[in-house]
Amino acid sequence: MKGLLFITHQNNQYDTLDSVRIALEGGCRQIQLRMKDAAKEAVALVGREAMALCKKVGAELYIDDHVDVCREIGAAGVHLGKLDMP
């Protein structure tokens, strides 16, 4: 799949899922769920909701850092930096 990859974020006005919705509404079809300081359970919870949103429009979801969450929710892939896993 070609196109932009949107990396989620949050601020005082929008939470992470809001950023997913906005990107999808704007036509983005590749989303990376990035929640660097969040607990794995929180990433999984938001990931399930983001996955449902992505499925509705045929978008792919990638999970940052958590291979196990990626597998658990059926995401398209995982992003790992050089120091993210042994």
Side-chain angles (χ1 to χ4, degrees):
M1 184 178 287
K2 293 183 180 181
L4 297 174
L5 170 70
F6 178 78
I7 300 172
T8 64
H9 60 283
Q10 62 183 24
N11 60 34
N12 293 334
Q13 189 173 2
Y14 303 106
D15 67 18
T16 301
L17 280 175
D18 289 332
S19 74
V20 171
R21 285 185 196 97
I22 291 166
L24 294 172
E25 288 170 4
C28 188
R29 293 300 176 255
Q30 296 182 93
I31 307 290
Q32 179 182 322
L33 181 63
R34 185 175 192 270
M35 299 172 61
K36 273 293 185 196
D37 297 322
K40 182 176 87 170
E41 294 78 16
V43 175
L45 179 66
V46 173
R48 282 186 208 92
E49 294 183 52
M51 191 71 193
L53 293 171
C54 287
K55 281 184 178 182
K56 286 181 183 179
V57 298
E60 293 183 336
L61 181 68
Y62 300 89
I63 306 297
D64 189 57
D65 297 342
H66 297 279
V67 173
D68 48 349
V69 172
C70 177
R71 285 183 183 156
E72 177 186 325
I73 68 172
V78 64
H79 172 271
L80 295 173
K82 290 179 183 180
L83 304 176
D84 288 334
M85 287 186 76

